[in-house]
Amino acid sequence: MNTKVVIAHRGASGYLPEHTLEAKAMAFAMNVDFIEQDLVLSKDDVPIVIHDIYLDDVTDVATKFADRKRNDHRYYVIDFTFEELQTLAVSERFDPVTGKQFYPNRFPKEKGTFKLHSLQQEIELIQGLNQATGKKIGIYPEIKDPAFHAKEGKQLTEIVLQILSEYGYTTKKDACNLQCFDAKELERIRVELKSDLFLVQLMEFPEEVNNLKHFASYADGIGPWYKQVLDRKVQEKWQFTSLVSDAHALGLKVHPYTFRADQLDEFSSFDAMMQTLLIDANVDGAFTDFPDLVVTFLNK
Ligand code: CA
């Protein structure tokens, strides 16, 4: 039986603007195991599903609210109410300085009609589709930049945990993996806030591999950058770091990010990437912008 999980990274974001409800519905139809929600609070404490604390690289905020930028010339989700945020048009990701689309071959920038939405709205979409289809697709929320939220006097984590609990996500059995890059915050979620959810420690920096044992004291899995799994190529064959085997020895699942068919870097094809990481390196799942391709690969 295939036990590896496919996580729709920001939805089916290779095909539709990231973190739109449309991208989530498409991912749902692709039979993924989990759909991801990155979470940032609005001014009035609504968790918004958006990748960054900024608005200006995925919306028309600079046109609609030109005078609301901060001194660093960025527009912050946290400076706008949910009502204001819902008036913005969401677009495929672009560079706010040059206006250039980040992934040129994806959904065309500024086309279509897309909006921002809350965590609650997305859970209701996924739970509604689960009921209508008989599927059991899970959610994979991420607490974004807890230090920034704390500095702004906001309790993102407490608000998110409360909403998750209201929608029936409280234990490891409830198809909800909660993720965070901030190790102190994820540990706090387990130890102080006493959450029984499946917790995934995201990893970004090479030296973090030394903290695996500590991660295992509170987390159920890790989400490394996939390059942390790769060592080097010897005679055209990838050698791996000890990260996956070390994590498995500690009982941690390994869900690396991000599998992109249009950003292959060291791989010759997306199939080679999937074969190398999912099969040869034996990771337990994948965050991907192209969920259909990973689902098809794993079903083979
Ligand atoms: Ca994320």
Side-chain angles (χ1 to χ4, degrees):
M1 198 186 105
N2 164 38
T3 55
K4 297 184 194 288
V5 298
V6 180
I7 307 143
H9 181 248
R10 315 182 199 172
S13 57
Y15 305 104
L16 278 162
E18 64 184 51
H19 283 318
T20 57
L21 287 175
E22 289 81 355
K24 304 307 170 88
M26 188 173 186
F28 190 100
M30 290 171 167
N31 290 325
V32 295
D33 298 283
F34 294 94
I35 297 173
E36 189 201 30
Q37 302 78 30
D38 291 314
L39 300 169
V40 177
L41 280 186
S42 69
K43 190 176 186 175
D44 50 348
D45 286 342
V46 178
I48 306 300
V49 182
I50 186 167
H51 183 257
D52 296 300
I53 56 175
Y54 311 113
L55 288 165
D56 42 13
D57 42 17
V58 287
T59 75
D60 62 350
V61 67
T63 315
K64 285 210 177 90
F65 295 97
D67 59 345
R68 299 271 294 273
K69 56 176 178 277
R70 291 194 182 186
N71 290 337
D72 62 358
H73 301 288
R74 303 297 311 259
Y75 296 81
Y76 287 72
V77 177
I78 214 158
D79 291 337
F80 294 82
T81 64
F82 183 45
E83 200 182 333
E84 288 172 332
L85 291 168
Q86 284 179 301
T87 67
L88 298 175
V90 171
S91 168
E92 180 64 33
R93 175 169 290 276
F94 58 94
D95 181 326
V97 177
T98 64
K100 232 177 101 190
Q101 182 168 341
F102 202 79
Y103 294 99
N105 296 324
R106 294 191 179 183
F107 200 91
K109 188 189 146 214
E110 288 166 12
K111 298 287 184 190
T113 308
F114 305 104
K115 297 285 172 196
L116 292 169
H117 62 273
S118 67
L119 172 62
Q120 296 93 317
Q121 288 173 317
E122 180 157 338
I123 291 176
E124 289 183 16
L125 174 77
I126 294 169
Q127 292 192 342
L129 283 169
N130 274 336
Q131 182 178 321
T133 61
K135 294 182 193 174
K136 288 193 176 107
I137 292 179
I139 62 172
Y140 211 127
E142 178 180 346
I143 303 289
K144 280 280 174 181
D145 209 337
F148 170 79
H149 281 91
K151 203 177 78 201
E152 298 281 328
K154 298 279 193 198
Q155 296 197 302
L156 172 62
T157 299
E158 283 81 351
I159 291 169
V160 168
L161 286 176
Q162 176 62 33
I163 292 166
L164 292 177
S165 146
E166 283 163 17
Y167 282 93
Y169 303 108
T170 55
T171 76
K172 293 183 212 290
K173 294 189 196 113
D174 295 329
C176 171
N177 291 3
L178 186 63
Q179 45 167 342
C180 191
F181 274 104
D182 187 321
K184 276 205 183 78
E185 186 69 356
L186 200 68
E187 185 174 14
R188 188 176 78 91
I189 290 171
R190 177 73 81 215
V191 177
E192 275 179 48
L193 302 178
K194 307 207 183 307
S195 172
D196 187 35
L197 287 170
F198 189 101
L199 301 183
V200 175
Q201 179 63 58
L202 296 173
M203 296 167 62
E204 193 170 15
F205 304 107
E207 62 273 17
E208 286 173 314
V209 300
N210 303 320
N211 304 342
L212 267 195
K213 216 172 155 181
H214 181 62
F215 293 162
S217 71
Y218 58 87
D220 304 288
I222 53 169
W225 188 22
Y226 76 83
K227 292 185 198 228
Q228 293 176 307
V229 170
L230 300 173
D231 184 3
R232 65 204 160 92
K233 250 183 166 172
V234 176
Q235 289 168 344
E236 293 303 297
K237 237 186 128 35
W238 274 106
Q239 310 293 302
F240 304 109
T241 65
S242 65
L243 182 62
V244 178
S245 53
D246 291 348
H248 284 168
L250 290 163
L252 292 165
K253 296 285 185 195
V254 183
H255 298 165
Y257 61 89
T258 305
F259 289 57
R260 293 185 171 109
D262 57 358
Q263 191 181 52
L264 294 167
D265 292 341
E266 51 276 278
F267 295 105
S268 55
S269 69
F270 196 53
D271 260 353
M273 180 181 194
M274 292 188 284
Q275 174 68 35
T276 301
L277 291 165
L278 285 161
I279 308 301
D280 302 343
N282 194 29
V283 302
D284 306 290
F287 283 94
T288 179
D289 294 359
F290 297 86
D292 56 333
L293 301 182
V294 182
V295 168
T296 303
F297 175 83
L298 287 175
N299 285 342
K300 267 201 298 239

